[in-house]
Amino acid sequence: MPYRKYIPEKIIVEKRVWELPWTQEILSRMKGLPVRKISTIEEEALACQKAVISPEESLKTLALAQQSGKFLKPCPGTSNYVCCGYYFLNIATNCDVNCTYCILQSYLNIPFMVVYTNIEDAFRETDGVLGAHKFPLYRIGTGELTDSLTLEHITHMSEKLIPYFAQKKNAILELKTKTTQIENLLHLEHNRKIVVSWSLNPDEIIRTEEKNAPSLKERLDAARKVDAAGYRLGFHFDPMIDYPNWESGYKDVIGRLFAAVHSGNIAWISLGALRYPAQMDRLIRERHPESKIVLGELLPGKDGKLRYFRMLRQRMFRKMVDWIHSHDPNVTVYFCMESPEVWKYAFREQVLQKCPLPGMLDRSVFEWAK
Amino acid sequence: MLTIPLNQIIDQDDFYRITFLPDLRPLVESMKRIGQSQPILVQPVSGVFYRIVSGFKRFWAAKELNWSDIRAETAEVDSEQPFSLFQKSLFENLAIRQLNWVEKAFVLQKLVQQFQIPREKIISEWLPILNIGKNQKWLVWLSKIPDYELIVKEAIAKDEITFDLFEFFPALSADDRVALVQFYRELKLGKNRQKEFFYLLRDVMQRDNTSMTHLLENQDVQQIVKAEDLALGNKVQKIRGILRRWRYSSMNEMEKRFREIVHSLRLPPGIQLLPPQNFEGDKFRMTFTFRTPEDFSGVVAKLQEITASGDLTALTSLWEAD
Ligand code: SF4
């Protein structure tokens, strides 16, 4: 199925953000759609819940709202697994791509596509955090609760975030996506402070588990353009899926990835094997009955989440590291939320003892941290 | 009150019937000794024949006793009344006994198909009457039960199958349902084991694009099921081992290798060596028991012997396997 950009069927706007410039800017791009002023998205969500409206239906509503909590938060990580010390800037939540394995299915209380349009508050809050110290260095992403670029055609969020982060000395921004919505980025001054990242998987997996997302070729074509515009790039093989042809599938993706972009521009490549909270198992089976991911050899890990049996992960990662480093041994490869033991056996050495993960990633993107 | 010849009662008519697999023995015994204490309720059909509204068990008992007729009251019906009669019969039943799952399913099916009661009303009013949570999924799962194969319905009615599995039965083929029920019956599986075995079988079936019947006909499984020299508990354990091996083959391989290493260490019976849970992490656990200081010294000496032999390095090599 060709990739189709998200188009909402209606828009709801919290009264308190109605006057904000970004709200009005977004509304001006969405002329012709029904717009309704509301009190809060929480109230609307409750009404949806009472009326038993399906998640798919609710997602057709775009909500413009106020972020009343914190925009910037450290990644919660997961107990007993190695964390990279990342921060999330949550300016939007929810996602239309509908990947079978997506954690958002079991996670969000608000079922709409939400954009928090009080972005000036986000900048003020971020200024406060970044301005307080020169260290630590901040790697910040907008892709925890959404795909960073899936609403780009509606919000032009990159035009706000990129100029802001381009000026920051101790922070880089990562925009993590599966989409091809990069046109807005190409003319922006980024000062090499932005990492544009793609989640990649073999087409066999994209076709069954990431059905609404662009194909691998489309993603790599977009990455090529962003590479040409001088951005740093990131790639995330996360989640990797164990399927009968996984070796040839992933090896092929890596070959195509290195053929598409300059490896010198790659800030990092992360690997993460499929994992999810145990209670999501049922949800995936119900919502995506055609998906086979739940049939993998998944067992409870040290954090209680279901993950592939350790030896499978080790084998997958070891092969991936070898294939990646056969193209360029200098590319930084790391594992997302993985155990120290798997790190050791997948890399065949104690890489984390030489340099802890946050330091390793900082060195990849902050020249002066090298 | 009438006395009706049994052959004027339409045996197969189940318009009002919800009773399934009743235990007739006590009633037969009672009717044999003291006769029929309550008339049945019937409805005239095309002049000569009657359909039973309530009293199916009394009718079946009378047949078993080879009676030629039975005492009955007739219910005159206009078009409004069938549903009232059905309710009357149902509440009479509910007042004196618990319905089994198949009977509850019959009730729901009749409400939906025969009396066309709106689904919302069934969910909000009738599910609680039948002691079922107000969830529309239950309505979907249960209303399929009347169409299942007789052996499956029997097992459900006798509570031999855990209701946790009802939701999965509609997706199984008739052959698979029957094979599963027969398998569970042969092994007399408890409810938790039923669930565990079902999940393992279902996942292997879906992963390998095969059928449950095919899996259950597997030679190794059948040999164990049929083995006369194995106690039931042993059979269950052995079959569990096979299902887990199918479902978690890499983990199973690792467990096997671990057992081989432990075996090669020749630990005395009181010492137990355990891997990290699901082989996550790198910490092994050893436990031992002793009664006397001499026992304890023996354990320590054995541990020292193992340490000196270097055989423990085999444990760390576990993780290198590819
Ligand atoms: S693209 Fe990311 S956020 Fe969106 S559904 Fe897929 S996994 Fe979830």
Side-chain angles (χ1 to χ4, degrees):
Chain A
M1 197 164 55
Y3 169 59
R4 291 225 313 266
K5 289 180 189 169
Y6 171 77
I7 302 291
E9 284 184 359
K10 57 180 181 224
I11 303 181
I12 53 177
V13 185
E14 284 186 351
K15 285 185 195 124
R16 54 190 175 173
V17 299
W18 180 264
E19 302 289 343
L20 294 180
W22 199 19
T23 304
Q24 288 305 317
E25 183 190 323
I26 291 171
L27 290 178
S28 73
R29 280 191 204 105
M30 296 279 102
K31 286 209 175 83
L33 285 180
V35 179
R36 185 162 57 88
K37 276 194 201 178
I38 59 161
S39 172
T40 63
I41 48 172
E42 286 78 11
E43 270 182 37
E44 289 295 310
L46 212 62
C48 262
Q49 208 184 337
K50 280 193 184 142
V52 201
I53 294 175
S54 71
E56 294 75 23
E57 202 49 40
S58 304
L59 219 53
K60 293 177 185 164
T61 300
L62 173 68
L64 305 182
Q66 176 177 304
Q67 172 65 277
S68 311
K70 284 202 179 310
F71 276 99
L72 192 63
K73 290 179 189 155
C75 170
T78 187
S79 52
N80 295 312
Y81 292 88
V82 180
C83 180
C84 72
Y86 199 75
Y87 278 75
F88 290 113
L89 187 68
N90 289 326
I91 293 179
T93 61
N94 226 330
C95 182
D96 59 307
V97 182
N98 195 24
C99 304
T100 56
Y101 49 74
C102 183
I103 182 78
L104 298 182
Q105 299 173 92
S106 69
Y107 200 71
L108 297 175
N109 302 323
I110 307 289
F112 319 116
M113 293 289 283
V114 182
V115 181
Y116 296 109
T117 52
N118 55 326
I119 196 164
E120 292 305 325
D121 293 337
F123 291 147
R124 251 191 304 280
E125 187 187 324
T126 311
D127 279 344
V129 174
L130 302 185
H133 321 276
K134 191 175 167 196
F135 284 103
L137 303 169
Y138 290 88
R139 283 167 284 108
I140 300 172
T142 53
E144 182 195 20
L145 302 177
T146 185
D147 177 292
S148 295
L149 295 177
T150 193
L151 291 179
E152 181 62 20
H153 58 300
I154 295 172
T155 64
H156 289 221
M157 198 187 299
S158 65
E159 291 169 0
K160 307 200 172 341
L161 294 176
I162 292 177
Y164 173 80
F165 278 97
Q167 304 309 318
K168 299 294 171 198
K169 287 213 158 40
N170 56 342
I172 62 98
L173 173 72
E174 182 175 31
L175 298 172
K176 193 168 158 188
T177 190
K178 286 190 179 86
T179 76
T180 49
Q181 301 228 49
I182 41 102
E183 294 307 321
N184 290 344
L185 279 64
L186 300 179
H187 64 271
L188 294 171
E189 194 54 63
H190 54 76
N191 199 20
R192 303 273 288 168
K193 304 307 291 289
I194 312 297
V195 178
V196 187
S197 298
W198 275 268
S199 301
L200 301 181
N201 253 317
D203 272 323
E204 284 143 291
I205 297 299
I206 293 174
R207 274 195 295 272
T208 55
E209 314 300 335
E210 303 170 353
K211 275 186 283 205
N212 295 345
S215 67
L216 177 65
K217 179 178 181 311
E218 288 170 310
R219 293 183 212 182
L220 291 176
D221 284 347
R224 186 182 289 120
K225 289 184 194 159
V226 169
D227 180 35
Y231 282 90
R232 291 178 198 274
L233 303 166
F235 295 97
H236 300 281
F237 289 87
D238 193 357
M240 286 187 69
I241 308 289
D242 179 26
Y243 69 102
N245 295 327
W246 75 266
E247 289 199 38
S248 57
Y250 282 99
K251 191 174 180 195
D252 173 64
V253 179
I254 288 173
R256 288 167 66 182
L257 154 64
F258 279 93
V261 302
H262 296 95
S263 61
N265 268 344
I266 298 177
W268 46 61
I269 296 179
S270 82
L271 310 179
L274 177 68
R275 60 205 174 278
Y276 50 79
Q279 68 270 22
M280 241 183 79
D281 188 82
R282 188 185 176 97
L283 209 96
I284 298 173
R285 289 175 196 264
E286 280 176 7
R287 284 212 194 150
H288 309 282
E290 71 297 340
S291 168
K292 293 211 164 186
I293 56 170
V294 288
L295 307 177
E297 207 170 326
L298 295 151
L299 293 155
K302 286 190 274 185
D303 54 358
K305 284 185 190 157
L306 294 178
R307 346 177 128 239
Y308 285 137
F309 177 55
R310 175 216 177 139
M311 302 307 283
L312 293 176
R313 307 201 309 270
Q314 234 169 252
R315 188 178 313 148
M316 288 175 114
F317 293 159
R318 190 184 272 213
K319 296 245 177 197
M320 288 291 278
V321 170
D322 286 349
W323 292 328
I324 292 167
H325 282 162
S326 73
H327 287 277
D328 185 342
N330 297 318
V331 167
T332 301
V333 182
Y334 73 96
F335 305 142
C336 186
M337 296 188 203
E338 210 23 280
S339 69
E341 301 82 49
V342 169
W343 271 85
K344 181 175 150 199
Y345 286 97
F347 272 107
R348 299 187 179 84
E349 57 171 332
Q350 300 270 26
V351 276
L352 291 178
Q353 277 178 8
K354 284 195 212 153
C355 179
L357 179 55
M360 192 193 297
L361 299 181
D362 287 347
R363 284 184 196 178
S364 291
V365 282
F366 295 104
E367 296 300 334
W368 47 282
K370 285 189 176 154
Chain B
M1 181 106 59
L2 297 171
T3 300
I4 301 176
L6 290 187
N7 61 12
Q8 275 179 254
I9 293 176
I10 311 170
D11 209 353
Q12 302 302 320
D13 188 291
D14 59 2
F15 188 85
Y16 293 107
R17 181 168 73 85
I18 54 165
T19 310
F20 182 76
L21 273 196
D23 179 6
L24 289 180
R25 278 167 312 176
L27 187 60
V28 169
E29 199 52 36
S30 142
M31 283 170 60
K32 193 160 97 185
R33 284 172 192 275
I34 60 167
Q36 183 188 355
S37 56
Q38 289 275 331
I40 64 171
L41 184 64
V42 294
Q43 190 188 339
V45 182
S46 64
V48 191
F49 293 104
Y50 297 90
R51 87 175 0 154
I52 301 174
V53 176
S54 70
F56 284 90
K57 284 204 284 185
R58 276 162 282 167
F59 168 69
W60 291 324
K63 277 184 83 170
E64 200 160 318
L65 290 166
N66 288 322
W67 290 4
S68 56
D69 41 40
I70 190 164
R71 278 190 304 124
E73 279 177 356
T74 51
E76 296 303 329
V77 277
D78 60 25
S79 59
E80 282 301 304
Q81 275 182 323
F83 185 50
S84 324
L85 288 174
F86 173 71
Q87 290 192 76
K88 191 169 177 232
S89 152
L90 172 63
F91 283 105
E92 266 175 19
N93 268 293
L94 286 174
I96 52 169
R97 68 186 184 97
Q98 291 250 343
L99 302 191
N100 65 46
W101 281 108
V102 177
E103 292 172 332
K104 290 180 184 182
F106 280 148
V107 173
L108 293 174
Q109 198 191 42
K110 285 184 198 304
L111 290 173
V112 174
Q113 292 178 6
Q114 218 157 276
F115 302 113
Q116 304 195 337
I117 307 297
R119 297 183 86 81
E120 301 71 47
K121 200 172 161 80
I122 297 178
I123 292 163
S124 63
E125 287 179 20
W126 285 91
L127 289 184
I129 288 173
L130 296 172
N131 244 329
I132 304 167
K134 285 187 197 174
N135 187 334
Q136 68 161 1
K137 287 180 179 167
W138 277 104
L139 177 57
V140 175
W141 302 331
L142 291 179
S143 34
K144 310 269 187 209
I145 289 180
D147 304 327
Y148 292 165
E149 308 62 41
L150 185 62
I151 180 177
V152 178
K153 281 192 286 209
E154 270 174 17
I156 291 175
K158 290 182 179 164
D159 216 15
E160 292 171 355
I161 300 291
T162 172
F163 60 79
D164 290 314
L165 296 184
F166 292 174
E167 63 176 294
F168 304 111
F169 273 30
L172 295 180
S173 69
D175 285 350
D176 281 357
R177 268 193 303 267
V178 171
L180 187 72
V181 165
Q182 281 170 338
F183 175 68
Y184 280 5
R185 278 185 156 177
E186 286 195 82
L187 292 179
K188 297 195 172 47
L189 288 185
K191 306 215 157 166
N192 285 337
R193 277 279 187 260
Q194 285 185 17
K195 277 197 282 179
E196 184 192 7
F197 279 28
F198 179 82
Y199 295 145
L200 291 167
L201 283 163
R202 172 198 60 183
D203 287 356
V204 176
M205 172 179 93
Q206 290 178 357
R207 184 194 65 200
D208 300 349
N209 276 326
T210 181
S211 70
M212 210 163 266
T213 313
H214 178 76
L215 294 175
L216 294 175
E217 278 170 356
N218 172 277
Q219 213 182 342
D220 294 346
V221 172
Q222 280 308 315
Q223 249 172 23
I224 297 170
V225 172
K226 302 250 149 48
E228 284 171 7
D229 54 340
L230 273 179
L232 211 53
N234 287 343
K235 288 185 182 182
V236 171
Q237 278 313 325
K238 279 185 183 295
I239 292 177
R240 180 175 183 267
I242 293 178
L243 300 186
R244 283 187 62 83
R245 191 175 76 222
W246 289 346
R247 177 68 181 86
Y248 301 109
S249 54
S250 309
M251 164 93 154
N252 198 271
E253 195 53 39
M254 193 74 165
E255 284 170 343
K256 200 168 125 207
R257 292 190 53 220
F258 181 75
R259 277 196 304 272
E260 282 165 7
I261 293 172
V262 173
H263 183 73
S264 73
L265 295 176
R266 286 187 240 283
L267 297 172
I271 303 181
Q272 207 190 3
L273 183 58
L274 297 165
Q277 199 178 13
N278 293 334
F279 294 93
E280 288 286 329
D282 53 5
K283 290 196 183 104
F284 297 92
R285 200 150 51 93
M286 187 174 263
T287 62
F288 58 84
T289 52
F290 64 95
R291 280 200 187 83
T292 61
E294 291 74 35
D295 273 2
F296 182 74
S297 305
V299 170
V300 172
K302 180 64 193 172
L303 293 179
Q304 278 170 341
E305 188 189 312
I306 294 170
T307 315
S309 71
D311 290 348
L312 280 175
T313 51
L315 283 178
T316 47
S317 74
L318 262 182
W319 314 123
E320 291 290 358
D322 199 344

